[in-house]
Amino acid sequence: MGLPTLIPLLTFLWVAIILAGSYYLFVVRPEAVAQDTLRQRIRTGALAVGARRGSLLKDVEHLSSIGPLQRLLSSDGAAAARLRQVIHQSGLKVNAGRVVLGSACLALVTYLVVTALWSRPFWNGALAGVLAGWAPYAVLKWLAARRLRKFEEQFPEAVSLLARTLRAGHAFTTGLRFAADELPEPVAGEFKLINNQQTFGLPIADGLRAFALRVPIIDARFFVTAVLTQMESGGNLAEVLDNLGRVIRERFQIKRQLRVLTAHGRMTGYVLAALPPALALYLYVMTPAHFKVLFEDPLGRQMLVVAVALQVFGAFLIHKLSDIEY
């Protein structure tokens, strides 16, 4: 068996091992753990369940079934904390360990496909692997941004509901429960989390501060600051929330007006950013012999590096000019 025949066979075996291992880690092992937990509860009976409910210790957040990866992701590092925050903001029911392992497997499979099956150089496979591994995080960022935009649209109604609840004579915590029950997602989920934390003993001030960290929009910070200030100094919280809801609606209206006014600049930026790569792809397909000079000649490679750097800088500059803080 020659080397040209052996490489595809080894690649197939390696990809099969990766797929089988991923299926075991993501499907078989979690189901086995859940079944073992159920059997343990059945054997121990209600006494063990009652003891578990009465425990004052909070379980460590389960981020991965792999010990070293669990310790790494549960650390206080900036990268691990940022990944956990993005996953929570996206609203997906997935832990950080699956995201990391899925990204690693996707990067490795992409690298093997590009280098072994398509016979591309090493740096092509490495670049494709990095991009493929980054793709799940990019999808999470997009989902998180979409969820935060939806939360921003629904948040004024939540503030108004809290104000109406206070005017009706209910407590602030009752208003949180009403918001969790009556409003749609994602606002309902965040207020439900605050209410559950307060119910299980967390001070309401700490729950609101955690809410401001989970939802990184300025309207949420205004809300938390107003409520905490009223708790410390006193006053009519219903009137404060009414004024805050009106201010949030006015800010949201201004934001939409700004997006309309900057639409021309953003579209121009998209076109200018996409035009050079599209033209390069067209020339590479239509006249590959002429375009190959840029890759083979040292001066051509230097020109490509400078062109890519200027393109990225120009796209970033146009984005910053059209992204107006409101």
Side-chain angles (χ1 to χ4, degrees):
M1 182 180 297
L3 184 60
T5 307
L6 185 61
I7 291 178
L9 179 60
L10 293 177
T11 302
F12 172 78
L13 293 176
W14 184 246
V15 172
I17 292 173
I18 293 175
L19 294 177
S22 301
Y23 179 77
Y24 172 76
L25 290 176
F26 298 151
V27 179
V28 177
R29 186 167 181 175
E31 292 181 355
V33 172
Q35 291 177 1
D36 292 340
T37 304
L38 181 60
R39 294 192 188 98
Q40 182 66 24
R41 290 180 178 178
I42 293 174
R43 285 196 298 266
T44 55
L47 181 60
V49 176
R52 181 175 179 83
R53 288 179 179 175
S55 177
L56 298 178
L57 299 178
K58 179 181 178 181
D59 294 337
V60 178
E61 184 181 3
H62 185 73
L63 301 176
S64 175
S65 57
I66 302 176
L69 187 58
Q70 164 70 20
R71 290 190 294 270
L72 177 63
L73 294 176
S74 59
S75 64
D76 295 331
R82 179 58 181 166
L83 178 59
R84 295 196 301 266
Q85 184 182 23
V86 171
I87 292 175
H88 174 79
Q89 292 172 359
S90 67
L92 295 180
K93 302 301 181 182
V94 63
N95 57 34
R98 294 187 178 184
V99 175
V100 173
L101 290 178
S103 299
C105 293
L106 185 60
L108 182 59
V109 170
T110 304
Y111 168 77
L112 292 176
V113 169
V114 172
T115 55
L117 297 183
W118 292 353
S119 301
R120 298 296 181 181
F122 167 78
W123 67 272
N124 286 346
L127 180 61
V130 170
L131 294 177
W134 180 76
Y137 183 76
V139 173
L140 286 176
K141 287 279 291 183
W142 178 76
L143 292 175
R146 187 181 67 172
R147 185 171 180 268
L148 287 178
R149 286 195 301 267
K150 190 174 182 180
F151 181 92
E152 195 174 15
E153 293 179 2
Q154 299 172 353
F155 191 58
E157 180 60 30
V159 175
S160 299
L161 177 60
L162 288 174
R164 293 194 299 268
T165 304
L166 293 175
R167 291 186 184 278
H170 297 284
F172 179 74
T173 54
T174 305
L176 293 177
R177 187 172 69 251
F178 286 166
D181 295 336
E182 300 296 333
L183 297 176
E185 292 290 342
V187 172
E190 294 295 339
F191 279 95
K192 183 177 181 180
L193 182 57
I194 299 175
N195 183 64
N196 290 340
Q197 290 175 342
Q198 185 271 334
T199 302
F200 290 116
L202 184 69
I204 187 63
D206 294 340
L208 291 174
R209 293 189 184 97
F211 165 73
L213 294 177
R214 291 194 308 270
V215 184
I217 60 175
I218 193 170
D219 296 335
R221 296 176 184 175
F222 284 162
F223 168 74
V224 172
T225 302
V227 174
L228 293 181
T229 302
Q230 190 275 341
M231 288 181 177
E232 294 178 359
S233 60
N236 190 348
L237 182 57
E239 184 177 356
V240 172
L241 293 180
D242 280 334
N243 295 331
L244 179 61
R246 184 173 62 254
V247 171
I248 293 175
R249 287 188 176 90
E250 292 176 354
R251 291 187 66 256
F252 194 74
Q253 184 179 1
I254 294 174
K255 178 184 177 181
R256 288 186 170 179
Q257 292 176 354
L258 286 176
R259 287 191 59 84
V260 172
L261 294 176
T262 58
H264 180 268
R266 286 186 283 108
M267 290 301 299
T268 303
Y270 296 153
V271 173
L272 292 178
L275 185 59
L279 182 60
L281 180 62
Y282 174 78
L283 294 176
Y284 179 77
V285 174
M286 299 304 296
T287 57
H290 293 82
F291 198 79
K292 192 182 299 184
V293 178
L294 289 174
F295 294 98
E296 296 177 351
D297 191 87
L299 180 60
R301 290 194 290 267
Q302 296 176 6
M303 293 173 62
L304 281 176
V305 172
V306 173
V308 171
L310 292 176
Q311 178 72 13
V312 173
F313 176 74
F316 173 76
L317 186 61
I318 293 175
H319 172 71
K320 296 300 292 184
L321 290 175
S322 60
D323 187 17
I324 301 175
E325 296 290 339
Y326 67 98

